[in-house]
């Protein structure tokens, strides 16, 4: 039976450090501020946004919420982003994804000032990550890396298989593992013999968004498994992208769902917001 990588416990430890950092910064007269923008009434997004607001309160970050109707136009959202880019109380801006169909998400993410890009999704920050000089890192992949670090595993020379190639998780987490000298394979819907690829992996990062798609018997004995999937099955049950019980029989360490990567996503958002505020403060005094 494998060791559980407890995202809640790791998140609590890092959030305490962030709270201390916020206190120090506030003593200099700068309160970190995060604008949380939600368009529409997607139930999961509403839950995530509430969790982000509560997490901000808990560590002393000021959060300003903008809940806009589902029929908001792209131009209206871009006007709000422009206003927030110029708001001195706001150091980080996050637009909850997904956005309604009439809005081009890429255009919106590109409109956020790269200096306030708490989600790390702006092409400037993505480019910095790609060249190995990250500024703001996307929160979920960043959280995954912190969890891997907590296991004490050295990624250098390890075979890492990332299942999923989204801009939010798959691609950036692959870049981050590459930066740590892992040999990285990104798998996706056109990958031939996914099972064989996963069977060869020392580390499996599942970010495909399909309930229990990665079978337990694909996991190599002693591998580390990070499950990014948060899939709702039926009324209340949440499952990951990996068949947890069977995978846990073989893995050296594995993340649960819930209580694994999810809490780390919000923690790294707090971290990025504090970083943005610190950089603002040092620009102001330069
Ligand atoms: N602007 C963004 N949009 C989205 C992001 C993001 O990082 N930035 N990621 C996801 C959703 N997400 C954050 O927004 C998110 C998903 C899951 C969790 C989480 O803590 N999950 C819990 C379970 C919570 C539940 O009961 O539903 C867990 O896994 O333990 C936090 C944040 C898409 N959009």
């Amino acid at each position: 039976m494998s060791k559980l990588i407890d995202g809640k416990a790791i998140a609590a430890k890092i959030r305490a450090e962030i709270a201390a950092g916020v206190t120090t910064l506030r003593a200099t007269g700068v309160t970190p501020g995060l604008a949380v923008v939600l368009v529409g009434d997607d139930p999961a997004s509403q839950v995530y946004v509430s969790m982000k607001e509560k997490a901000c309160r808990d560590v002393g970050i000021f959060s300003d919420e903008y809940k806009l109707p589902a029929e908001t136009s792209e131009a209206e959202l871009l006007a709000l982003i422009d206003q927030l880019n110029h708001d001195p109380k706001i150091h980080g801006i996050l637009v909850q994804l997904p956005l309604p169909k009439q809005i081009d998400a890429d255009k919106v993410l590109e409109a956020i000032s790269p200096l306030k890009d708490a989600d790390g999704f702006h092409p400037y920050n993505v480019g910095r990550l790609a060249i190995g000089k990250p500024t703001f890192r996307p929160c979920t992949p960043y959280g995954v890396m912190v969890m891997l670090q907590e296991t004490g595993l050295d990624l250098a020379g390890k075979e890492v298989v990332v299942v999923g190639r989204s801009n939010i998780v798959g691609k950036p987490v692959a870049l981050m593992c590459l930066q740590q000298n892992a040999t990285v394979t990104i798998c996706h819907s056109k990958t031939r013999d996914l099972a064989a690829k996963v069977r060869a992996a020392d580390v499996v990062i599942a970010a495909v968004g399909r309930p229990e798609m990665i079978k337990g018997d694909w996991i190599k004995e002693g591998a580390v498994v990070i499950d990014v999937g948060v899939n709702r099955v039926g009324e209340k049950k949440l499952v990951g992208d990996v068949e947890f019980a069977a995978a846990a029989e073989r893995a050296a360490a594995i993340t649960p769902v819930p209580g694994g990567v999810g809490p780390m996503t919000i923690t790294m958002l707090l971290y990025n917001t504090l970083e943005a505020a610190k950089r603002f403060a040092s620009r102001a005094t330069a």
Side-chain angles (χ1 to χ4, degrees), residues 48 51-52 94-97 119 121 232 238 258-259 262-263 265:
Y48 299 143
M51 289 164 73
K52 289 174 184 186
L94 111 87
V95 176
Q96 187 63 32
L97 300 177
D119 256 330
F121 293 160
R232 242 158 260 277
L238 283 183
T265 295

Side-chain angles (χ1 to χ4, degrees), residues 8 45 47-49 51-52 94-98 109 119 121 138-140 168 229-230 232 238 256-266:
K8 272 194 191 163
S45 293
V47 170
Y48 299 143
V49 160
M51 289 164 73
K52 289 174 184 186
L94 111 87
V95 176
Q96 187 63 32
L97 300 177
L109 298 177
D119 256 330
F121 293 160
C139 304
T140 300
I168 295 184
V230 182
R232 242 158 260 277
L238 283 183
V257 177
V261 176
M264 292 302 294
T265 295
I266 295 182

Side-chain angles (χ1 to χ4, degrees), residues 48-62:
Y48 299 143
V49 160
S50 306
M51 289 164 73
K52 289 174 184 186
E53 286 160 356
K54 179 180 180 305
C56 282
R57 271 197 307 281
D58 290 348
V59 299
I61 291 176
F62 161 73

Side-chain angles (χ1 to χ4, degrees), residues 133-181:
K133 294 188 172 153
T135 38
F136 294 111
R137 284 166 260 227
C139 304
T140 300
Y142 199 1
V144 168
M145 298 314 286
V146 172
M147 295 177 99
L148 282 172
Q149 193 184 321
E150 287 285 321
T151 67
L153 182 76
D154 179 7
L155 284 179
K158 297 287 187 307
E159 296 287 338
V160 174
V161 166
V162 178
V163 187
R165 57 174 159 180
S166 70
N167 289 337
I168 295 184
V169 185
K171 287 180 201 164
V173 86
L175 287 169
M176 290 178 194
C177 291
L178 184 62
Q179 187 64 25
Q180 293 194 16
N181 300 312

Side-chain angles (χ1 to χ4, degrees), residues 30-92:
V30 177
T31 298
L34 176 69
V36 180
V37 182
L38 172 64
V39 187
D41 38 29
D42 176 72
S45 293
Q46 285 174 339
V47 170
Y48 299 143
V49 160
S50 306
M51 289 164 73
K52 289 174 184 186
E53 286 160 356
K54 179 180 180 305
C56 282
R57 271 197 307 281
D58 290 348
V59 299
I61 291 176
F62 161 73
S63 78
D64 211 358
E65 50 185 89
Y66 296 84
K67 294 189 175 156
L68 309 179
E71 55 280 7
T72 300
S73 69
E74 187 178 282
E76 285 167 325
L77 182 55
L78 290 172
L80 172 61
I81 301 294
D82 186 50
Q83 176 196 316
L84 295 170
N85 282 340
H86 292 95
D87 185 337
K89 293 189 303 305
I90 295 300
H91 307 102

Side-chain angles (χ1 to χ4, degrees), residues 4 18 24 52 61 81 96-97 120 148 183 186-187 190 198 202 211 222 228 236 241 249 281 286:
L4 207 62
I18 294 169
T24 305
K52 289 174 184 186
I61 291 176
I81 301 294
Q96 187 63 32
L97 300 177
L148 282 172
T183 302
I186 306 180
C187 299
K190 300 284 187 289
V198 172
D202 302 309
V228 180
K236 290 225 162 92
D241 291 349
E249 291 295 323

